[in-house]
Amino acid sequence: MVGNQELRRAAVFALRTLAVATCYFAAGRLGLLCRLTVEGAVFTPIYPPTGVALACLLVLGLGCWPGVTLGALLLVLSIGPPGPDLLGILVGNTAGPVCAFVLLRRVGFRTDLSRLRDGLALVFLGALAAMLVSSTVDVVTLILAGKLDATHFWPIWLAWWVGDAMGVLLVTPVLLVLFETRRPSSTARWKEALALVVVAAGLVPLATLSSLSALFLAYPLLIWAALRFRLAGSVLCALFTSVVAAVAATDGVGAFAHLSPVEVMLKLQLFNGSLALTALLLSVVITEQHNTRRSVAEACKELAEALEHLTAHESPAGRAPPRAERRRERGAR
C-alpha cells in the first residue's frame, strides 16, 4: 500500500514537471517570435516564460520548480548547442520566478488578485524586484562566456530586465484569471464581451500599426474592459495590445517607424509598462471596491434581519412581561 502511494506520488510529480516544462518551452518559443536587438544583444520585449513559471509556482506550489528548470533547458537547447553559460542561464531563469514566489508568499499574496495590495505586490515584488535576479544572473553569465560586450552592460541588462518583468506583468495575471474565473451566464455579458473583442480587433492595430502614432487610443479600450469585465477583461486586452505593439516594434512600422533600436526599445517598453500597470491596478481597485460594496450590502441585510427580529411583537422566550402586562394580570386576579 505504501509502495503504491509512493509510486503514485512519483508519477504525479513527473507529470506535473513535464506539464510545467512544456508550458514554459511553448511560451519561450512564442516569445522568441518577436525579438529586438540592442547593442548587439538579441532580447524579447515580452518574455512569457517568466510569467508562466510564476503562475505555475503560485498555483501548483514551490515543488514544481524542476519543471521550470527543465523547460529552460529545452528552450536553450532549441536555440543552439549548449555552451559553458548553460548552467548560469538555467540558474537565472529558475531563480527569478522562485524569488518572486517567495516574496509574494511572504506578504500573503492571493491568486484571485481581489485586493489592491495583491496588485501592488505582483508589480513591485513579483515583477520589478524578483526579475532583477534573473536578468542580472543571465546577463553576467553571457558576458563571462564572451557572448556579450561588457561595455554595453547597462542597456543590455535594462532590456533583459524589462522583458522579464513584462512577462510577469502581462502573462501571470492572465493565467491566474483563467484559473480563477468562472464563465458568465448572462447573455448580455456575452454580447458586450463580443463587442469588446470586435472593437479591440479594429482599434488596437490602428493604434499600433498606423503611421498616426496613436498609441493613446488603447487606453479608453482598456478602461472599458476594466470597468465592465474587471481583471479578466483588462489583462487580456493589455496582453493583446502589447503583443501587437511588439510586432509593430519588431517590424519597425507604425508608431515605431524611423526610430533607432534603443529608441524602439524604450518606447515599446514604456508603453507596455504603462499599459500593464494601468490594466492591473485599475482592475484590482475596481474589484476591491466591488467586493467592499457586496460585503457592506450583506452586512446591512443581516442588520435589517436582526432589527426585524428585535422589533417583533412576540417576546423572546424566558423574558419577563412588561410592567403594564403584570399589572393587568394582578387586577384580573
Side-chain angles (χ1 to χ4, degrees):
M1 187 66 179
V2 177
N4 292 335
Q5 292 179 354
E6 293 180 354
L7 184 60
R8 187 180 302 109
R9 191 179 299 112
V12 170
F13 175 78
L15 291 176
R16 184 176 60 184
T17 300
L18 184 60
V20 173
T22 302
C23 294
Y24 188 100
F25 174 78
R29 296 304 303 179
L30 289 175
L32 292 174
L33 296 178
C34 294
R35 291 181 285 185
L36 296 176
T37 303
V38 176
E39 302 297 345
V42 179
F43 75 100
T44 57
I46 304 172
Y47 193 62
T50 57
V52 171
L54 180 56
C56 290
L57 290 169
L58 291 172
V59 173
L60 302 177
L62 188 59
C64 70
W65 71 264
V68 176
T69 305
L70 178 60
L73 175 62
L74 296 176
L75 184 60
V76 172
L77 294 179
S78 68
I79 298 174
D85 56 337
L86 177 61
L87 181 59
I89 295 296
L90 297 182
V91 170
N93 289 353
T94 305
V98 169
C99 288
F101 170 82
V102 172
L103 291 175
L104 292 176
R105 283 303 183 213
R106 288 182 66 88
V107 297
F109 177 80
R110 295 180 183 176
T111 56
D112 58 359
L113 291 169
S114 60
R115 304 173 301 175
L116 178 59
R117 58 180 294 184
D118 298 325
L120 294 175
L122 184 63
V123 171
F124 291 102
L125 297 180
L128 301 183
M131 293 305 111
L132 293 172
V133 177
S134 60
S135 59
T136 302
V137 173
D138 289 345
V139 173
V140 170
T141 299
L142 292 175
I143 290 177
L144 293 178
K147 294 185 177 181
L148 294 178
D149 189 358
T151 59
H152 300 139
F153 173 82
W154 290 112
I156 296 174
W157 175 86
L158 179 62
W160 207 291
W161 172 61
V162 175
D164 288 350
M166 287 301 103
V168 172
L169 290 178
L170 292 171
V171 177
T172 299
V174 170
L175 297 179
L176 294 179
V177 163
L178 293 177
F179 179 75
E180 296 284 346
T181 301
R182 299 295 180 266
R183 185 177 62 180
S185 57
S186 174
T187 305
R189 299 286 287 172
W190 280 111
K191 292 181 179 179
E192 187 177 2
L194 180 60
L196 178 62
V197 170
V198 172
V199 174
L203 185 61
V204 170
L206 175 64
T208 55
L209 301 177
S210 173
S211 59
L212 298 175
S213 187
L215 293 176
F216 59 88
L217 291 177
Y219 288 96
L221 182 67
L222 194 68
I223 294 173
W224 176 19
L227 289 175
R228 298 298 298 159
F229 299 97
R230 294 199 288 274
L231 193 63
S234 63
V235 295
L236 287 172
C237 183
L239 179 61
F240 173 67
T241 306
S242 297
V243 170
V244 177
V247 172
T250 303
D251 296 336
V253 298
F256 304 93
H258 311 297
L259 298 177
S260 67
V262 176
E263 291 174 340
V264 170
M265 186 268 292
L266 291 176
K267 187 174 184 178
L268 176 63
Q269 301 299 41
L270 288 175
F271 173 69
N272 285 344
S274 61
L275 196 72
L277 288 175
T278 302
L280 182 60
L281 297 183
L282 178 60
S283 58
V284 167
V285 169
I286 293 173
T287 300
E288 187 176 44
Q289 291 181 348
H290 174 77
N291 293 337
T292 301
R293 289 196 299 269
R294 185 172 59 184
S295 299
V296 171
E298 292 176 355
C300 292
K301 183 179 179 180
E302 294 177 357
L303 180 60
E305 293 176 352
L307 290 175
E308 183 180 358
H309 176 73
L310 291 174
T311 56
H313 295 291
E314 296 182 1
S315 300
R319 179 179 176 181
R323 182 178 301 176
E325 293 181 4
R326 291 199 298 268
R327 290 177 178 176
R328 285 196 296 269
E329 291 178 359
R330 294 193 190 101
R333 293 175 183 174

